[in-house]
Structure formats: C-alpha cells, structure tokens
Amino acid sequence: MAEHAITPRVARRLEAVQRLLIDGQWQLAGDGRSEDIFNPSSGEIITTAATATEEDANRAVAAARASFNDHRWTGLTPAQRAKVLWRVADLIGAHAEEMAELEMLDAGKFYLGALNGEVPFAAECFRYYAGWCTKIEGTTKQLSTVPGQAFHIYTQREPIGVAALIIPWNGPLVQAAWKIAPALAAGCSVVIKPASQTPLSITRLGELMIEAGVPDGVINIISGGGSTIGRLLAEHPDVGKVSFTGSTEVGKQIIDAAKGNLKKVTLELGGKSPVIVFDDADLEGAIAGAAEAIFSSAGQVCVAGSRLYVQDSVYDEVISGVAEIAKNMKVGPATNSAMDMGPLISRQHLQDVYRMVEAGLAEGAKLAAGGKLITDGGGYFIEPTVLADTTHRMSVVSDEIFGPVLVAMPFSRQEQVVALANDSEFGLAASIWTRDISKAHLTADAVRAGLVWINCHGIPDMAVPFGGYRQSGWGRENGYESLLQYTELKSVIARL
Ligand code: NAP
Ligand code: MG
C-alpha cells in the first residue's frame, strides 16, 4: 500500500506539546510558549513545539557544562561510551517506523524513503562513531632542539567541552546524527538546536539517547528561533565549539557570533554543484543520474546537482532526456510512496523557489520542463523544473535555489567545463559522467569541490569526509576528520 496512514502511537505523540530536553528533564519553555509545526505535504498543523527562551538555552548550556566538568560521560571507559552509542543505533532501528513517520510528517520525507534510507543511515552513523570511541589516539615525538637530554613527548586528543550543534530542516535526523555521534564519541557534551520547522524526529532521538544511557546533561535539545536561540548558542562563552549546517548567509553570522570566545567553528553551508556530462558517457545512466541529482528530496539537498553542463554533441539529447523524466514525475504528498517527488518545506520556501524560476525566465533561460506551482491541496509543491540554455550571468546559475530547479548549459572542451564548474562562490560537490577513466580523474582533480562523484551523484557515507571548499564551509563532517573537529590537541613534553 503506497499511502501511509499515521499510526495511533505517533498520533498520540503529536497531541502533546513537543518538549525541550534540559539536563535529562523534558520540559515546556520557561514562558510556556510553543510554535505550530506544519506538515509540508498538506499545509496542516500537526503539533506544536516548545520554543526555548534565552533562560532555557542558558540552562541547557549550564547543564552541558556541568556534565562535562564532572566527567559523567568522559569518566566512562571508551568501551562503555561505545556501547551507549551502539545502543542508540539499536534503539533507532527498533523504532525505525516511528522515526520514519516523524520524518515524513514534519520534513516531508517519503515514508519508505525515510524507513529504508535516512533512519538506518542515522543508526549506522552512531555505530560508526561507537567504533571510534576506543580508537582516539595520540602520537609520540622526538626532540631535535635539545641534544644530550632524555625526553618523553606525546600528544593526546581531548574533547573541546560543550558543543553547540545547529542544524537545518532538510534532513533533521541524519543531520543530527552526523553531529551528535562524533561529538559524543570525542567526549563532548552537546546542546542541539533543531531547525524551527523540524524538531520531531530529534525530540524522539533524544528520548532514545536517554534510554540508551547517555547521562543527563550530556545531550540537551532546545528548539527555538535561529536569530535568538541559535545566535545565543553561537555567542555563548561557555560553549567551546559550534558546528553549524545551513545557509552561507547564516554561516557568516555564526562566525561573527563565535568570535567573542574564539570558539571553534565547523560550517557546512550551501552549494551549487555542477553535474558534468561528457559525450562519451553512458547517456542513459547520466540522464537518470542528473535527474536524480536535482529532483531527489525536491532539490532540498546541499549537494544537489543543480548546474548541468553537457558536451555539445549530446546536449539536446541529454536535456530532452532529463526534461522528459521531469515531466513524467508524479509530485505529491510524502505519505504516498508511489509519488516521485514530495513537497518543499514551507510556503515561504515555495514562494522563494518560484520567484527564482521566474527570475531565470526573465533573464532569458528556456523552460524545458516544469516551472509551475502545484496548488491543488494545501501542500507546498512545485513541478520539477529544467531551465535550459542558461548562462553564468543569470542569478539562477550563480545562486543556490534549494529546490527542484535545474539549470543547464552546453560546453565544448574539458578545460572550458572545468572553468565553468569552478566559476561559483560555492565548492561543495560535483559529479562527472564519462567512460574515459583518465578524463574522469583529471577532471575530478581540477574541480574545486569537497566531494566529487564519478558516474554517480550524492552517495554519502559515514566514512567519507563531507564538506566544502570556498563559501561552502569550514571543516568536514563524517569520517575520523569530523571526530577530530570536536577535540583539542595537547602536546606534552617531559624531561626525564
Ligand atoms: P538557515 O536559515 O541557515 O538555518 C539553519 C539553522 O540555523 C536553523 O536551525 C536556523 O534556525 C538556524 N539559524 C538561523 N539564523 C541563525 C542565526 N543568526 N544564528 C544562529 N543560528 C541561526 O538554513 P536553512 O534555510 O534552514 O537550510 C538550507 C540551507 O542549508 C541551504 O543553504 C543548504 O545548502 C544548507 N545545507 C547545507 C548542508 C551541508 O552539509 N553543506 C546540508 C544541509 C543544508 P531556524 O530554523 O529557527 O531559522
Ligand atoms: Mg531558515
């Protein structure tokens, strides 16, 4: 059955106000305020979520600080911490259907997609970092500057302290896992702020983390406004690290806010990632891949392949192929897994995306598919859209749209497409489609982006560092690299 009905368990959950988690206690906001949470597939209010006051946020930071200072987490052995994180993963798995349903309801993820994709992926992320708990190591060194004396010199990795984690709405559960798991593996205590639109799956994750044995105060969850609570966390003198995923614009505000105590900053920001199709590519695969790269999650993916460059001789064939896929896609509610593309997150975002399409057309782009809002029903839908014959002078080519809108251009030579691909303020990802293995790797080398896929697009993994060049961010998520970003490095020099 394609249509997923809300289960009674989730319906009951949504009857209550979604609470904040501070020092192990689930609580309402200090001033009792809450915000409506909408289902983007229907435009209906599904529940309300407590919105933290500044005092709540300060209490959350204080709880995290106290838990860090008294070593209730770092005092466990690495193996004990690993077991707790592994248990979190098992509990996510045991509640996979409920988690998928929550992700469907407030983030507009397809139920089956979340059940088979996001939810197990989040669980695997906890397993991956569970494995690292027992493998955080230092090195030994030898002195060259002081001859004739004996020294013992070593380095050690130590947790930074309290980490503030600020995440967007486009993949709440996975984004939360990508930050919480390495932060906890490193020994930090955390305060996480979900995006205002999407607190549901993270709230449930918090319950599972407490159940798994994460000590009180080590995980705190506070929903609240970005410019108030998010900013407070980024500024807070007792927070040593802020890891932010979101827009480039807000990323820059985070840097400003963080400078008071020079807290460490990791930023995963926007993208405008090129998809490069050479004329010797498996065109069937490239056409399907290019469509998937932009239309999956309705383009609300930081690594979406939003700029398509196709070599002259196959340009028409590839554009009409992608346009054909776009025209045939079924667009509808995330409850219906027979649909091909779901909603945008909010009415505001829908309007922003639509305005960008109009701007592109006004600038002279040619509409090859889509372009219209879908207004029957209350959800936030737009047709999968392909804008052909665009140029680098158009705003649709330079700006991130974060919706199902592809801009396409022809190229003739490899050096030319590399220059076009690199002509962007972003540098998050790219994909290269060709059967020529040398061309593939030479192009991968020349493209200035943190992630390059060859004959595929958008495949992530916990083991693979993820992040961007230029204004796509600072630092990397996933892999050992992410774990290191929650640590300080100490060198100890002992004269024997
Ligand atoms: P956003 O507006 O930057 O918001 C992201 C988070 O920051 C939200 O929790 C938001 O809270 C909070 N926030 C807003 N203003 C803040 C401030 N002044 N100080 C501290 N926190 C603040 O981003 P978005 O529009 O929700 O998400 C889309 C963007 O995220 C896109 O640009 C996309 O490319 C990027 N993204 C990047 C990656 C990556 O890994 N590189 C992954 C996913 C998304 P509120 O919700 O309350 O506003
Ligand atoms: Mg926002």
Side-chain angles (χ1 to χ4, degrees), residues 166-170 175 193-197 224-227 230-231 244-247 250 253-254 268-271 302 400 402 428 466:
I166 303 176
I167 61 170
W169 43 260
N170 65 324
Q175 299 281 352
K193 191 200 91 63
S196 297
Q197 290 108 323
S227 56
R231 187 182 173 83
F244 169 80
T245 299
S247 59
V250 174
Q253 293 171 23
I254 298 282
E268 297 291 351
L269 308 177
C302 51
E400 181 180 49
F402 221 60
L428 186 55
F466 182 107

PDB file of all heavy atoms in Angstrom, residues 166-170 175 193-197 224-227 230-231 244-247 250 253-254 268-271 302 400 402 428 466, ligand 1:
ATOM      1  N   ILE A 166      23.902  23.215  15.512  1.00  0.00           N
ATOM      2  CA  ILE A 166      22.768  23.949  14.922  1.00  0.00           C
ATOM      3  C   ILE A 166      22.513  23.375  13.532  1.00  0.00           C
ATOM      4  O   ILE A 166      23.427  23.378  12.690  1.00  0.00           O
ATOM      5  CB  ILE A 166      23.079  25.458  14.836  1.00  0.00           C
ATOM      6  CG1 ILE A 166      23.411  26.003  16.236  1.00  0.00           C
ATOM      7  CG2 ILE A 166      21.896  26.210  14.220  1.00  0.00           C
ATOM      8  CD1 ILE A 166      23.837  27.471  16.248  1.00  0.00           C
ATOM      9  N   ILE A 167      21.319  22.886  13.304  1.00  0.00           N
ATOM     10  CA  ILE A 167      21.082  22.138  12.056  1.00  0.00           C
ATOM     11  C   ILE A 167      19.863  22.661  11.288  1.00  0.00           C
ATOM     12  O   ILE A 167      18.997  23.316  11.856  1.00  0.00           O
ATOM     13  CB  ILE A 167      20.947  20.623  12.332  1.00  0.00           C
ATOM     14  CG1 ILE A 167      19.772  20.333  13.239  1.00  0.00           C
ATOM     15  CG2 ILE A 167      22.226  20.058  12.918  1.00  0.00           C
ATOM     16  CD1 ILE A 167      19.468  18.862  13.327  1.00  0.00           C
ATOM     17  N   PRO A 168      19.797  22.352   9.998  1.00  0.00           N
ATOM     18  CA  PRO A 168      18.692  22.807   9.146  1.00  0.00           C
ATOM     19  C   PRO A 168      17.548  21.793   9.110  1.00  0.00           C
ATOM     20  O   PRO A 168      17.612  20.745   9.762  1.00  0.00           O
ATOM     21  CB  PRO A 168      19.342  22.935   7.774  1.00  0.00           C
ATOM     22  CG  PRO A 168      20.362  21.843   7.757  1.00  0.00           C
ATOM     23  CD  PRO A 168      20.823  21.646   9.187  1.00  0.00           C
ATOM     24  N   TRP A 169      16.535  22.101   8.307  1.00  0.00           N
ATOM     25  CA  TRP A 169      15.306  21.307   8.274  1.00  0.00           C
ATOM     26  C   TRP A 169      15.328  20.222   7.211  1.00  0.00           C
ATOM     27  O   TRP A 169      14.413  19.416   7.132  1.00  0.00           O
ATOM     28  CB  TRP A 169      14.104  22.229   8.010  1.00  0.00           C
ATOM     29  CG  TRP A 169      14.398  23.256   6.937  1.00  0.00           C
ATOM     30  CD1 TRP A 169      14.739  24.566   7.146  1.00  0.00           C
ATOM     31  CD2 TRP A 169      14.424  23.067   5.513  1.00  0.00           C
ATOM     32  NE1 TRP A 169      14.984  25.199   5.935  1.00  0.00           N
ATOM     33  CE2 TRP A 169      14.789  24.300   4.913  1.00  0.00           C
ATOM     34  CE3 TRP A 169      14.160  21.964   4.674  1.00  0.00           C
ATOM     35  CZ2 TRP A 169      14.912  24.468   3.529  1.00  0.00           C
ATOM     36  CZ3 TRP A 169      14.291  22.135   3.301  1.00  0.00           C
ATOM     37  CH2 TRP A 169      14.658  23.371   2.738  1.00  0.00           C
ATOM     38  N   ASN A 170      16.324  20.218   6.337  1.00  0.00           N
ATOM     39  CA  ASN A 170      16.182  19.372   5.146  1.00  0.00           C
ATOM     40  C   ASN A 170      16.509  17.900   5.379  1.00  0.00           C
ATOM     41  O   ASN A 170      16.207  17.079   4.522  1.00  0.00           O
ATOM     42  CB  ASN A 170      16.988  19.948   3.976  1.00  0.00           C
ATOM     43  CG  ASN A 170      18.474  19.926   4.249  1.00  0.00           C
ATOM     44  OD1 ASN A 170      18.894  20.123   5.372  1.00  0.00           O
ATOM     45  ND2 ASN A 170      19.259  19.671   3.238  1.00  0.00           N
ATOM     46  N   GLN A 175      21.116  14.837   9.893  1.00  0.00           N
ATOM     47  CA  GLN A 175      21.981  15.964  10.264  1.00  0.00           C
ATOM     48  C   GLN A 175      22.311  15.919  11.756  1.00  0.00           C
ATOM     49  O   GLN A 175      23.441  16.207  12.165  1.00  0.00           O
ATOM     50  CB  GLN A 175      21.288  17.305   9.963  1.00  0.00           C
ATOM     51  CG  GLN A 175      20.953  17.514   8.516  1.00  0.00           C
ATOM     52  CD  GLN A 175      22.136  17.950   7.681  1.00  0.00           C
ATOM     53  OE1 GLN A 175      23.190  18.233   8.226  1.00  0.00           O
ATOM     54  NE2 GLN A 175      21.968  17.991   6.388  1.00  0.00           N
ATOM     55  N   LYS A 193      20.279  22.483  18.582  1.00  0.00           N
ATOM     56  CA  LYS A 193      19.103  23.269  18.207  1.00  0.00           C
ATOM     57  C   LYS A 193      18.618  22.814  16.834  1.00  0.00           C
ATOM     58  O   LYS A 193      19.260  23.077  15.821  1.00  0.00           O
ATOM     59  CB  LYS A 193      19.434  24.772  18.139  1.00  0.00           C
ATOM     60  CG  LYS A 193      18.142  25.589  18.021  1.00  0.00           C
ATOM     61  CD  LYS A 193      18.341  26.989  17.487  1.00  0.00           C
ATOM     62  CE  LYS A 193      18.212  27.081  15.996  1.00  0.00           C
ATOM     63  NZ  LYS A 193      16.890  26.740  15.439  1.00  0.00           N
ATOM     64  N   PRO A 194      17.472  22.134  16.796  1.00  0.00           N
ATOM     65  CA  PRO A 194      16.908  21.763  15.503  1.00  0.00           C
ATOM     66  C   PRO A 194      16.420  23.016  14.773  1.00  0.00           C
ATOM     67  O   PRO A 194      16.227  24.066  15.392  1.00  0.00           O
ATOM     68  CB  PRO A 194      15.703  20.887  15.864  1.00  0.00           C
ATOM     69  CG  PRO A 194      15.771  20.635  17.329  1.00  0.00           C
ATOM     70  CD  PRO A 194      16.634  21.701  17.923  1.00  0.00           C
ATOM     71  N   ALA A 195      16.198  22.903  13.457  1.00  0.00           N
ATOM     72  CA  ALA A 195      15.527  23.982  12.742  1.00  0.00           C
ATOM     73  C   ALA A 195      14.120  24.123  13.311  1.00  0.00           C
ATOM     74  O   ALA A 195      13.499  23.123  13.708  1.00  0.00           O
ATOM     75  CB  ALA A 195      15.465  23.670  11.256  1.00  0.00           C
ATOM     76  N   SER A 196      13.610  25.343  13.342  1.00  0.00           N
ATOM     77  CA  SER A 196      12.295  25.572  13.956  1.00  0.00           C
ATOM     78  C   SER A 196      11.206  24.700  13.335  1.00  0.00           C
ATOM     79  O   SER A 196      10.289  24.262  14.019  1.00  0.00           O
ATOM     80  CB  SER A 196      11.884  27.035  13.795  1.00  0.00           C
ATOM     81  OG  SER A 196      12.792  27.858  14.475  1.00  0.00           O
ATOM     82  N   GLN A 197      11.318  24.457  12.020  1.00  0.00           N
ATOM     83  CA  GLN A 197      10.242  23.696  11.347  1.00  0.00           C
ATOM     84  C   GLN A 197      10.260  22.212  11.706  1.00  0.00           C
ATOM     85  O   GLN A 197       9.245  21.540  11.526  1.00  0.00           O
ATOM     86  CB  GLN A 197      10.389  23.800   9.819  1.00  0.00           C
ATOM     87  CG  GLN A 197      10.082  25.153   9.244  1.00  0.00           C
ATOM     88  CD  GLN A 197      11.365  25.844   8.785  1.00  0.00           C
ATOM     89  OE1 GLN A 197      12.390  25.702   9.438  1.00  0.00           O
ATOM     90  NE2 GLN A 197      11.290  26.587   7.710  1.00  0.00           N
ATOM     91  N   GLY A 224      14.022  26.456  19.037  1.00  0.00           N
ATOM     92  CA  GLY A 224      13.875  27.886  19.259  1.00  0.00           C
ATOM     93  C   GLY A 224      14.353  28.626  18.031  1.00  0.00           C
ATOM     94  O   GLY A 224      14.938  28.019  17.130  1.00  0.00           O
ATOM     95  N   GLY A 225      14.094  29.899  18.008  1.00  0.00           N
ATOM     96  CA  GLY A 225      14.410  30.699  16.831  1.00  0.00           C
ATOM     97  C   GLY A 225      15.902  30.737  16.540  1.00  0.00           C
ATOM     98  O   GLY A 225      16.735  30.717  17.451  1.00  0.00           O
ATOM     99  N   GLY A 226      16.225  30.816  15.250  1.00  0.00           N
ATOM    100  CA  GLY A 226      17.626  30.874  14.849  1.00  0.00           C
ATOM    101  C   GLY A 226      18.301  32.148  15.311  1.00  0.00           C
ATOM    102  O   GLY A 226      19.375  32.115  15.926  1.00  0.00           O
ATOM    103  N   SER A 227      17.650  33.285  15.041  1.00  0.00           N
ATOM    104  CA  SER A 227      18.317  34.558  15.325  1.00  0.00           C
ATOM    105  C   SER A 227      18.346  34.873  16.813  1.00  0.00           C
ATOM    106  O   SER A 227      19.056  35.780  17.251  1.00  0.00           O
ATOM    107  CB  SER A 227      17.635  35.682  14.551  1.00  0.00           C
ATOM    108  OG  SER A 227      16.267  35.689  14.873  1.00  0.00           O
ATOM    109  N   GLY A 230      19.638  30.266  18.403  1.00  0.00           N
ATOM    110  CA  GLY A 230      20.817  29.838  17.635  1.00  0.00           C
ATOM    111  C   GLY A 230      21.964  30.797  17.868  1.00  0.00           C
ATOM    112  O   GLY A 230      23.106  30.397  18.124  1.00  0.00           O
ATOM    113  N   ARG A 231      21.661  32.063  17.788  1.00  0.00           N
ATOM    114  CA  ARG A 231      22.693  33.080  17.973  1.00  0.00           C
ATOM    115  C   ARG A 231      23.270  33.032  19.390  1.00  0.00           C
ATOM    116  O   ARG A 231      24.491  33.124  19.580  1.00  0.00           O
ATOM    117  CB  ARG A 231      22.076  34.461  17.702  1.00  0.00           C
ATOM    118  CG  ARG A 231      23.088  35.550  17.698  1.00  0.00           C
ATOM    119  CD  ARG A 231      22.510  36.939  17.478  1.00  0.00           C
ATOM    120  NE  ARG A 231      23.598  37.876  17.672  1.00  0.00           N
ATOM    121  CZ  ARG A 231      24.484  38.177  16.733  1.00  0.00           C
ATOM    122  NH1 ARG A 231      24.368  37.648  15.529  1.00  0.00           N
ATOM    123  NH2 ARG A 231      25.468  38.996  16.982  1.00  0.00           N
ATOM    124  N   PHE A 244      27.741  24.014  12.663  1.00  0.00           N
ATOM    125  CA  PHE A 244      26.545  24.572  12.032  1.00  0.00           C
ATOM    126  C   PHE A 244      26.374  23.993  10.646  1.00  0.00           C
ATOM    127  O   PHE A 244      27.339  23.907   9.874  1.00  0.00           O
ATOM    128  CB  PHE A 244      26.692  26.099  11.938  1.00  0.00           C
ATOM    129  CG  PHE A 244      25.640  26.756  11.085  1.00  0.00           C
ATOM    130  CD1 PHE A 244      24.374  27.013  11.596  1.00  0.00           C
ATOM    131  CD2 PHE A 244      25.900  27.130   9.768  1.00  0.00           C
ATOM    132  CE1 PHE A 244      23.395  27.616  10.805  1.00  0.00           C
ATOM    133  CE2 PHE A 244      24.930  27.735   8.980  1.00  0.00           C
ATOM    134  CZ  PHE A 244      23.672  27.977   9.499  1.00  0.00           C
ATOM    135  N   THR A 245      25.162  23.607  10.313  1.00  0.00           N
ATOM    136  CA  THR A 245      24.811  23.286   8.932  1.00  0.00           C
ATOM    137  C   THR A 245      23.647  24.168   8.543  1.00  0.00           C
ATOM    138  O   THR A 245      22.646  24.229   9.264  1.00  0.00           O
ATOM    139  CB  THR A 245      24.443  21.799   8.766  1.00  0.00           C
ATOM    140  OG1 THR A 245      25.572  21.009   9.124  1.00  0.00           O
ATOM    141  CG2 THR A 245      24.068  21.488   7.327  1.00  0.00           C
ATOM    142  N   GLY A 246      23.773  24.845   7.428  1.00  0.00           N
ATOM    143  CA  GLY A 246      22.700  25.727   6.974  1.00  0.00           C
ATOM    144  C   GLY A 246      23.189  26.607   5.844  1.00  0.00           C
ATOM    145  O   GLY A 246      24.112  26.239   5.113  1.00  0.00           O
ATOM    146  N   SER A 247      22.597  27.771   5.749  1.00  0.00           N
ATOM    147  CA  SER A 247      22.895  28.650   4.626  1.00  0.00           C
ATOM    148  C   SER A 247      24.230  29.372   4.825  1.00  0.00           C
ATOM    149  O   SER A 247      24.684  29.583   5.960  1.00  0.00           O
ATOM    150  CB  SER A 247      21.779  29.676   4.468  1.00  0.00           C
ATOM    151  OG  SER A 247      21.665  30.431   5.649  1.00  0.00           O
ATOM    152  N   VAL A 250      23.798  32.623   6.989  1.00  0.00           N
ATOM    153  CA  VAL A 250      23.786  32.438   8.449  1.00  0.00           C
ATOM    154  C   VAL A 250      25.149  31.937   8.928  1.00  0.00           C
ATOM    155  O   VAL A 250      25.605  32.307  10.006  1.00  0.00           O
ATOM    156  CB  VAL A 250      22.630  31.504   8.888  1.00  0.00           C
ATOM    157  CG1 VAL A 250      22.718  31.203  10.383  1.00  0.00           C
ATOM    158  CG2 VAL A 250      21.286  32.128   8.552  1.00  0.00           C
ATOM    159  N   GLN A 253      27.138  34.711   9.904  1.00  0.00           N
ATOM    160  CA  GLN A 253      26.694  35.284  11.187  1.00  0.00           C
ATOM    161  C   GLN A 253      27.224  34.448  12.358  1.00  0.00           C
ATOM    162  O   GLN A 253      27.522  34.978  13.434  1.00  0.00           O
ATOM    163  CB  GLN A 253      25.169  35.372  11.241  1.00  0.00           C
ATOM    164  CG  GLN A 253      24.606  36.375  10.238  1.00  0.00           C
ATOM    165  CD  GLN A 253      23.083  36.297  10.131  1.00  0.00           C
ATOM    166  OE1 GLN A 253      22.417  35.830  11.046  1.00  0.00           O
ATOM    167  NE2 GLN A 253      22.547  36.736   9.003  1.00  0.00           N
ATOM    168  N   ILE A 254      27.319  33.138  12.128  1.00  0.00           N
ATOM    169  CA  ILE A 254      27.856  32.249  13.176  1.00  0.00           C
ATOM    170  C   ILE A 254      29.311  32.625  13.480  1.00  0.00           C
ATOM    171  O   ILE A 254      29.729  32.683  14.640  1.00  0.00           O
ATOM    172  CB  ILE A 254      27.770  30.765  12.731  1.00  0.00           C
ATOM    173  CG1 ILE A 254      26.315  30.337  12.515  1.00  0.00           C
ATOM    174  CG2 ILE A 254      28.522  29.840  13.691  1.00  0.00           C
ATOM    175  CD1 ILE A 254      25.528  30.026  13.738  1.00  0.00           C
ATOM    176  N   GLU A 268      28.930  23.710   7.536  1.00  0.00           N
ATOM    177  CA  GLU A 268      28.513  23.012   6.306  1.00  0.00           C
ATOM    178  C   GLU A 268      27.454  23.879   5.664  1.00  0.00           C
ATOM    179  O   GLU A 268      26.327  23.984   6.166  1.00  0.00           O
ATOM    180  CB  GLU A 268      27.939  21.631   6.630  1.00  0.00           C
ATOM    181  CG  GLU A 268      28.924  20.682   7.272  1.00  0.00           C
ATOM    182  CD  GLU A 268      30.031  20.234   6.344  1.00  0.00           C
ATOM    183  OE1 GLU A 268      29.964  20.520   5.134  1.00  0.00           O
ATOM    184  OE2 GLU A 268      30.989  19.624   6.843  1.00  0.00           O
ATOM    185  N   LEU A 269      27.806  24.525   4.549  1.00  0.00           N
ATOM    186  CA  LEU A 269      26.924  25.576   4.031  1.00  0.00           C
ATOM    187  C   LEU A 269      26.334  25.198   2.676  1.00  0.00           C
ATOM    188  O   LEU A 269      26.174  24.030   2.372  1.00  0.00           O
ATOM    189  CB  LEU A 269      27.707  26.888   3.978  1.00  0.00           C
ATOM    190  CG  LEU A 269      28.398  27.243   5.310  1.00  0.00           C
ATOM    191  CD1 LEU A 269      29.215  28.511   5.174  1.00  0.00           C
ATOM    192  CD2 LEU A 269      27.386  27.386   6.435  1.00  0.00           C
ATOM    193  N   GLY A 270      26.017  26.213   1.907  1.00  0.00           N
ATOM    194  CA  GLY A 270      25.285  25.967   0.671  1.00  0.00           C
ATOM    195  C   GLY A 270      26.144  25.406  -0.444  1.00  0.00           C
ATOM    196  O   GLY A 270      27.351  25.219  -0.292  1.00  0.00           O
ATOM    197  N   GLY A 271      25.495  25.136  -1.560  1.00  0.00           N
ATOM    198  CA  GLY A 271      26.197  24.630  -2.728  1.00  0.00           C
ATOM    199  C   GLY A 271      25.466  24.987  -4.009  1.00  0.00           C
ATOM    200  O   GLY A 271      24.309  25.446  -3.984  1.00  0.00           O
ATOM    201  N   CYS A 302      21.915  19.810   0.148  1.00  0.00           N
ATOM    202  CA  CYS A 302      23.036  20.738  -0.050  1.00  0.00           C
ATOM    203  C   CYS A 302      23.906  20.334  -1.217  1.00  0.00           C
ATOM    204  O   CYS A 302      24.452  21.192  -1.895  1.00  0.00           O
ATOM    205  CB  CYS A 302      23.851  20.832   1.228  1.00  0.00           C
ATOM    206  SG  CYS A 302      24.312  19.234   1.856  1.00  0.00           S
ATOM    207  N   GLU A 400      22.168  29.619  -5.036  1.00  0.00           N
ATOM    208  CA  GLU A 400      21.556  28.356  -4.622  1.00  0.00           C
ATOM    209  C   GLU A 400      20.044  28.538  -4.556  1.00  0.00           C
ATOM    210  O   GLU A 400      19.555  29.513  -3.991  1.00  0.00           O
ATOM    211  CB  GLU A 400      22.090  27.960  -3.243  1.00  0.00           C
ATOM    212  CG  GLU A 400      21.527  26.642  -2.764  1.00  0.00           C
ATOM    213  CD  GLU A 400      22.055  26.236  -1.399  1.00  0.00           C
ATOM    214  OE1 GLU A 400      22.030  27.074  -0.477  1.00  0.00           O
ATOM    215  OE2 GLU A 400      22.488  25.078  -1.265  1.00  0.00           O
ATOM    216  N   PHE A 402      17.907  25.648  -3.836  1.00  0.00           N
ATOM    217  CA  PHE A 402      17.480  24.680  -2.816  1.00  0.00           C
ATOM    218  C   PHE A 402      16.074  24.156  -3.093  1.00  0.00           C
ATOM    219  O   PHE A 402      15.268  23.955  -2.189  1.00  0.00           O
ATOM    220  CB  PHE A 402      17.562  25.281  -1.412  1.00  0.00           C
ATOM    221  CG  PHE A 402      18.099  24.307  -0.396  1.00  0.00           C
ATOM    222  CD1 PHE A 402      19.368  23.755  -0.528  1.00  0.00           C
ATOM    223  CD2 PHE A 402      17.337  23.925   0.703  1.00  0.00           C
ATOM    224  CE1 PHE A 402      19.865  22.847   0.392  1.00  0.00           C
ATOM    225  CE2 PHE A 402      17.829  23.005   1.647  1.00  0.00           C
ATOM    226  CZ  PHE A 402      19.092  22.476   1.477  1.00  0.00           C
ATOM    227  N   LEU A 428      30.984  22.822  -2.970  1.00  0.00           N
ATOM    228  CA  LEU A 428      30.615  21.686  -2.116  1.00  0.00           C
ATOM    229  C   LEU A 428      30.827  20.348  -2.824  1.00  0.00           C
ATOM    230  O   LEU A 428      31.510  19.470  -2.312  1.00  0.00           O
ATOM    231  CB  LEU A 428      29.169  21.837  -1.635  1.00  0.00           C
ATOM    232  CG  LEU A 428      28.698  20.804  -0.621  1.00  0.00           C
ATOM    233  CD1 LEU A 428      29.616  20.765   0.598  1.00  0.00           C
ATOM    234  CD2 LEU A 428      27.266  21.092  -0.171  1.00  0.00           C
ATOM    235  N   PHE A 466      32.956  14.916   4.383  1.00  0.00           N
ATOM    236  CA  PHE A 466      31.876  15.606   3.670  1.00  0.00           C
ATOM    237  C   PHE A 466      31.939  17.079   4.033  1.00  0.00           C
ATOM    238  O   PHE A 466      31.852  17.444   5.196  1.00  0.00           O
ATOM    239  CB  PHE A 466      30.558  14.988   4.144  1.00  0.00           C
ATOM    240  CG  PHE A 466      29.310  15.514   3.493  1.00  0.00           C
ATOM    241  CD1 PHE A 466      28.616  14.743   2.572  1.00  0.00           C
ATOM    242  CD2 PHE A 466      28.814  16.769   3.808  1.00  0.00           C
ATOM    243  CE1 PHE A 466      27.467  15.222   1.969  1.00  0.00           C
ATOM    244  CE2 PHE A 466      27.660  17.253   3.214  1.00  0.00           C
ATOM    245  CZ  PHE A 466      26.980  16.479   2.292  1.00  0.00           C
TER     246      PHE A 466
HETATM  247  P1  NAP B   1      19.449  28.504   7.734  1.00  0.00           P
HETATM  248  O1  NAP B   1      18.409  29.514   7.589  1.00  0.00           O
HETATM  249  O2  NAP B   1      20.855  28.912   7.668  1.00  0.00           O
HETATM  250  O3  NAP B   1      19.137  27.740   9.100  1.00  0.00           O
HETATM  251  C1  NAP B   1      19.897  26.687   9.584  1.00  0.00           C
HETATM  252  C2  NAP B   1      19.827  26.649  11.093  1.00  0.00           C
HETATM  253  O4  NAP B   1      20.391  27.831  11.646  1.00  0.00           O
HETATM  254  C3  NAP B   1      18.401  26.590  11.651  1.00  0.00           C
HETATM  255  O5  NAP B   1      18.398  25.814  12.814  1.00  0.00           O
HETATM  256  C4  NAP B   1      18.127  28.040  11.954  1.00  0.00           C
HETATM  257  O6  NAP B   1      17.129  28.219  12.917  1.00  0.00           O
HETATM  258  C5  NAP B   1      19.463  28.494  12.494  1.00  0.00           C
HETATM  259  N1  NAP B   1      19.711  29.928  12.416  1.00  0.00           N
HETATM  260  C6  NAP B   1      19.103  30.855  11.651  1.00  0.00           C
HETATM  261  N2  NAP B   1      19.622  32.075  11.877  1.00  0.00           N
HETATM  262  C7  NAP B   1      20.578  31.929  12.827  1.00  0.00           C
HETATM  263  C8  NAP B   1      21.477  32.821  13.482  1.00  0.00           C
HETATM  264  N3  NAP B   1      21.513  34.118  13.212  1.00  0.00           N
HETATM  265  N4  NAP B   1      22.336  32.317  14.409  1.00  0.00           N
HETATM  266  C9  NAP B   1      22.341  31.002  14.687  1.00  0.00           C
HETATM  267  N5  NAP B   1      21.506  30.118  14.101  1.00  0.00           N
HETATM  268  C10 NAP B   1      20.634  30.568  13.174  1.00  0.00           C
HETATM  269  O7  NAP B   1      19.355  27.378   6.625  1.00  0.00           O
HETATM  270  P2  NAP B   1      18.023  26.772   6.065  1.00  0.00           P
HETATM  271  O8  NAP B   1      17.458  27.743   5.116  1.00  0.00           O
HETATM  272  O9  NAP B   1      17.190  26.298   7.166  1.00  0.00           O
HETATM  273  O10 NAP B   1      18.626  25.467   5.312  1.00  0.00           O
HETATM  274  C11 NAP B   1      19.002  25.473   4.000  1.00  0.00           C
HETATM  275  C12 NAP B   1      20.488  25.746   3.817  1.00  0.00           C
HETATM  276  O11 NAP B   1      21.279  24.767   4.485  1.00  0.00           O
HETATM  277  C13 NAP B   1      20.930  25.666   2.383  1.00  0.00           C
HETATM  278  O12 NAP B   1      21.749  26.753   2.065  1.00  0.00           O
HETATM  279  C14 NAP B   1      21.719  24.384   2.306  1.00  0.00           C
HETATM  280  O13 NAP B   1      22.647  24.314   1.287  1.00  0.00           O
HETATM  281  C15 NAP B   1      22.312  24.294   3.635  1.00  0.00           C
HETATM  282  N6  NAP B   1      22.675  22.922   3.939  1.00  0.00           N
HETATM  283  C16 NAP B   1      23.984  22.553   3.897  1.00  0.00           C
HETATM  284  C17 NAP B   1      24.363  21.245   4.151  1.00  0.00           C
HETATM  285  C18 NAP B   1      25.799  20.826   4.107  1.00  0.00           C
HETATM  286  O14 NAP B   1      26.120  19.796   4.653  1.00  0.00           O
HETATM  287  N7  NAP B   1      26.685  21.577   3.485  1.00  0.00           N
HETATM  288  C19 NAP B   1      23.393  20.306   4.478  1.00  0.00           C
HETATM  289  C20 NAP B   1      22.061  20.707   4.508  1.00  0.00           C
HETATM  290  C21 NAP B   1      21.725  22.016   4.240  1.00  0.00           C
HETATM  291  P3  NAP B   1      15.591  28.453  12.449  1.00  0.00           P
HETATM  292  O15 NAP B   1      15.143  27.208  11.852  1.00  0.00           O
HETATM  293  O16 NAP B   1      14.899  28.757  13.714  1.00  0.00           O
HETATM  294  O17 NAP B   1      15.615  29.588  11.461  1.00  0.00           O
END
